[in-house]
Amino acid sequence: MAQTNYYLGKAVNSAGESEINLRLYVSRDIRIRAASGIWVDRKRWGKKNDINIPLIQGEERELLLEKRSKLKALTDYLENIINTSEDKSTIDRPFIEKQIKKFHKPTRKSVAPTEESFFDVMGKYLSTHKLSVARQKNFKVIMRSLRRFELFKKKEGHRGFKMSFANLSVDMLHQIEDFLGNEKDAFLKYPDIYEEIPYSTKVAVKTPKRKRPPRLDENGNEIPKGMPKPRGQNSVADMMLRFRSFIIWANDNGYTINNPFKHFTIGEIVYGTPIYITNSERNRLLETDLSDNKELETQRDIFVFQCLIGCRVSDLYKMTYRSIIGDAIEYIPRKTKEDRAITVRVPLNDTAKRLITKYQDYERGSLFPFNTEQDYNRKIKEAFKRAGLGRMVTVLDQQTREEIQKPLYEVASSHMARRSFIGNIYKKVKDPNLVGALSGHKEGSKVFARYRTIDDDMKKELIGMLE
């Protein structure tokens, strides 16, 4: 995956502005610097290498918001070109500079573009664009959501409404953004829309021996089948970013000359501090007697094993006995294998080996007797509660962006195992590249930087240096 960092050039133009420069990480061996063509006042360039937006409403704020949006669009445009390139060795500085010029002054066809069906063009983008399986899945989610938005508009009185490049406007983008964040309301008002285009395409697995309990809301009321789960602001912003990439592609390929995203600001994606359990808490969880519930004990053991190897749950579920090579487990992270097929090798400690032996069954296709991911997460929460792991933690509510306090067992999930692996090793090693070699994160990963939490032990260690 391509990655872009920014820095401000030293030269100043007649308006007293400096040009934002790009540092593109194409691959491990190819790194390119290029001028973005976007200029900003140095006093508005922050320490985090981003444009600082003033809180006071006015012309300057609007101009800076437009520049920030344009910089993001340029970054998406370039990274998309890099990620879809089959031969990255052909990407050099002249090529990138040519693409930047094309971004600022895209070539237009002499005749007006013929308007195809909006969703036909989206389908063409999906079929011709080289996207990872995960990104294809995410884009299909956007397509289904926009189809439901089209039906919703018709239900709301706009009978002849159709999604098209021609009627796409800033106001329409705001309507789409609002719809994506409030699909629950649309479901309750027009449930037939979700019968025609379901919120999820997942087919429920038939389990005749055990009836799955109904989903309940926070008040204990049963949630209607097929009701959309609420999307947080991060999810909505991510969907809008992917939608913008499609619109830019449609402009570049002559399907439209309309791009309302030029005047539309997508919300920032904000993450809270990753929550993870300590080694002592993990041991307490493992030592808790759950023999009265073998299924719960099994899923608890799988979670502890995941804490000891640090993989994503999607990679864990694909592991077999062939994944064990010597005294280590090896796998290629599914999330990154399409553009960076690097094998991650994690040595197995004694606890991990004991857990493998405990469930050893060579006739079984998988390393452990896995349940569905949904059931796995539910069992993790139950095991945490049984182990008394209920310390209060501060998390970020993705709907309101406000900090809230919850007991640890309520926020426990399969991904907490990965966070625990990374966080506990990082406290000891403090070397992101070394820990990244065990977790599968690429060098310089922005996501990986989030795991660098500063806890009380680290603070005491720093303060002790003052003695």
Side-chain angles (χ1 to χ4, degrees):
M1 297 293 292
Q3 181 182 339
T4 307
N5 292 331
Y6 313 111
Y7 64 98
L8 211 56
K10 295 180 180 179
V12 178
N13 63 12
S14 58
E17 298 175 323
S18 298
E19 189 171 16
I20 300 172
N21 292 322
L22 310 175
R23 187 182 290 109
L24 291 159
Y25 293 82
V26 178
S27 66
R28 180 172 293 183
D29 302 320
I30 304 174
R31 301 183 181 185
I32 299 169
R33 298 189 182 198
S36 69
I38 302 170
W39 298 68
V40 68
D41 193 322
R42 299 191 76 88
K43 69 180 181 181
R44 290 302 182 192
W45 190 250
K47 294 181 180 179
K48 294 184 179 180
N49 290 329
D50 193 10
I51 300 174
N52 280 340
I53 307 298
L55 297 176
I56 301 174
Q57 298 289 337
E59 185 178 347
E60 184 190 22
R61 174 181 166 82
E62 293 302 315
L63 182 62
L64 289 172
L65 283 170
E66 185 176 344
K67 288 184 177 183
R68 178 190 275 182
S69 179
K70 192 172 186 179
L71 182 61
K72 286 184 177 180
L74 173 61
T75 302
D76 288 346
Y77 174 73
L78 294 175
E79 289 185 352
N80 186 51
I81 291 172
I82 294 169
N83 291 334
T84 56
S85 174
E86 295 184 0
D87 185 4
K88 290 183 171 54
S89 65
T90 62
I91 299 175
D92 54 15
R93 184 170 179 174
F95 173 81
I96 292 296
E97 289 175 341
K98 182 179 179 181
Q99 296 303 320
I100 292 173
K101 288 181 181 179
K102 183 179 178 182
F103 171 83
H104 289 295
K105 293 184 179 180
T107 56
R108 303 295 183 193
K109 294 182 179 180
S110 56
V111 294
T114 56
E115 179 100 355
E116 294 185 34
S117 161
F118 185 83
F119 292 108
D120 284 345
V121 178
M122 290 193 87
K124 191 174 291 185
Y125 171 80
L126 190 61
S127 62
T128 60
H129 229 48
K130 186 180 178 182
L131 299 173
S132 66
V133 174
R135 293 197 177 202
Q136 286 184 18
K137 179 181 176 182
N138 290 335
F139 193 76
K140 287 178 181 178
V141 170
I142 298 170
M143 289 181 67
R144 292 199 308 274
S145 297
L146 291 176
R147 287 186 182 276
R148 290 194 295 269
F149 174 74
E150 183 179 77
L151 294 176
F152 176 78
K153 290 285 288 183
K154 291 178 180 179
K155 294 278 188 180
E156 290 288 284
H158 305 274
R159 293 185 178 180
F161 177 80
K162 280 190 175 182
M163 284 293 299
S164 69
F165 292 110
N167 65 14
L168 202 59
S169 64
V170 172
D171 180 61
M172 184 73 70
L173 292 179
H174 282 295
Q175 292 179 42
I176 292 171
E177 185 180 49
D178 183 65
F179 177 81
L180 293 175
N182 299 281
E183 283 210 67
K184 176 184 174 182
D185 295 340
F187 174 88
L188 293 173
K189 195 172 184 180
Y190 306 114
D192 55 314
I193 291 177
Y194 291 81
E195 292 178 6
E196 183 174 345
I197 306 175
Y199 178 78
S200 174
T201 58
K202 291 182 179 179
V203 178
V205 179
K206 293 182 179 180
T207 53
K209 295 182 180 179
R210 181 186 62 189
K211 187 177 180 181
R212 182 172 294 176
R215 290 169 54 205
L216 303 176
D217 62 19
E218 56 185 9
N219 297 317
N221 300 317
E222 184 174 344
I223 299 174
K225 186 178 180 180
M227 177 183 284
K229 296 179 181 179
R231 289 192 181 100
Q233 295 182 52
N234 282 357
S235 296
V236 173
D238 182 69
M239 292 178 75
M240 294 302 287
L241 286 169
R242 296 179 193 278
F243 185 31
R244 183 178 65 186
S245 296
F246 162 68
I247 296 299
I248 292 172
W249 174 87
N251 273 260
D252 292 341
N253 287 273
Y255 292 105
T256 181
I257 58 173
N258 178 31
N259 183 6
F261 277 102
K262 290 181 178 179
H263 307 288
F264 179 83
T265 302
I266 298 174
E268 293 286 340
I269 295 179
V270 180
Y271 295 101
T273 301
I275 304 299
Y276 61 88
I277 58 174
T278 63
N279 288 334
S280 60
E281 287 174 325
R282 183 202 65 215
N283 293 337
R284 178 179 173 182
L285 177 65
L286 181 60
E287 292 163 4
T288 299
D289 184 8
L290 300 177
S291 57
D292 61 316
N293 189 331
K294 286 297 182 183
E295 188 176 347
L296 182 62
E297 180 183 11
T298 300
Q299 300 307 307
R300 182 274 312 274
D301 290 345
I302 294 172
F303 175 83
V304 172
F305 179 80
Q306 190 183 356
C307 286
L308 297 173
I309 65 172
C311 67
R312 297 178 180 87
V313 67
S314 59
D315 296 317
L316 177 69
Y317 275 32
K318 288 184 175 297
M319 289 180 181
T320 66
Y321 288 103
R322 288 181 297 179
S323 304
I324 303 171
I325 300 176
D327 288 333
I329 199 153
E330 292 188 2
Y331 67 97
I332 299 175
R334 179 183 177 186
K335 187 175 180 180
T336 58
K337 71 178 182 181
E338 294 197 17
D339 61 7
R340 191 178 59 99
I342 295 178
T343 299
V344 175
R345 179 178 171 85
V346 183
L348 296 169
N349 65 11
D350 291 339
T351 303
K353 291 176 182 177
R354 283 196 300 272
L355 290 172
I356 291 173
T357 302
K358 181 177 179 180
Y359 295 95
Q360 187 170 299
D361 181 359
Y362 290 110
E363 294 183 1
R364 186 178 58 234
S366 58
L367 188 60
F368 287 97
F370 298 120
N371 282 358
T372 64
E373 188 175 338
Q374 183 181 12
D375 187 62
Y376 181 39
N377 280 308
R378 187 162 52 243
K379 289 292 190 295
I380 290 168
K381 288 178 171 60
E382 188 178 344
F384 267 57
K385 197 169 185 177
R386 287 276 300 268
L389 299 178
R391 63 178 167 91
M392 298 303 290
V393 293
T394 300
V395 296
L396 192 69
D397 187 309
Q398 292 301 328
Q399 269 70 51
T400 64
R401 293 280 175 87
E402 294 180 358
E403 292 183 344
I404 55 175
Q405 283 69 44
K406 289 187 175 184
L408 186 62
Y409 59 78
E410 284 191 9
V411 300
S413 67
S414 62
H415 203 66
M416 184 178 282
R418 180 167 167 81
R419 291 197 298 264
S420 299
F421 174 85
I422 296 167
N424 285 310
I425 293 180
Y426 212 153
K427 285 174 65 175
K428 301 293 184 182
V429 180
K430 301 180 178 65
D431 182 345
N433 294 329
L434 183 57
V435 182
L438 292 171
S439 67
H441 284 96
K442 63 183 179 181
E443 185 177 348
S445 170
K446 292 180 181 179
V447 175
F448 183 71
R450 293 178 50 239
Y451 291 97
R452 183 65 169 93
T453 55
I454 308 297
D455 64 11
D456 287 340
D457 291 339
M458 291 182 182
K459 291 176 183 177
K460 289 177 183 177
E461 182 180 332
L462 293 173
I463 295 299
M465 295 179 181
L466 301 176
E467 293 291 344

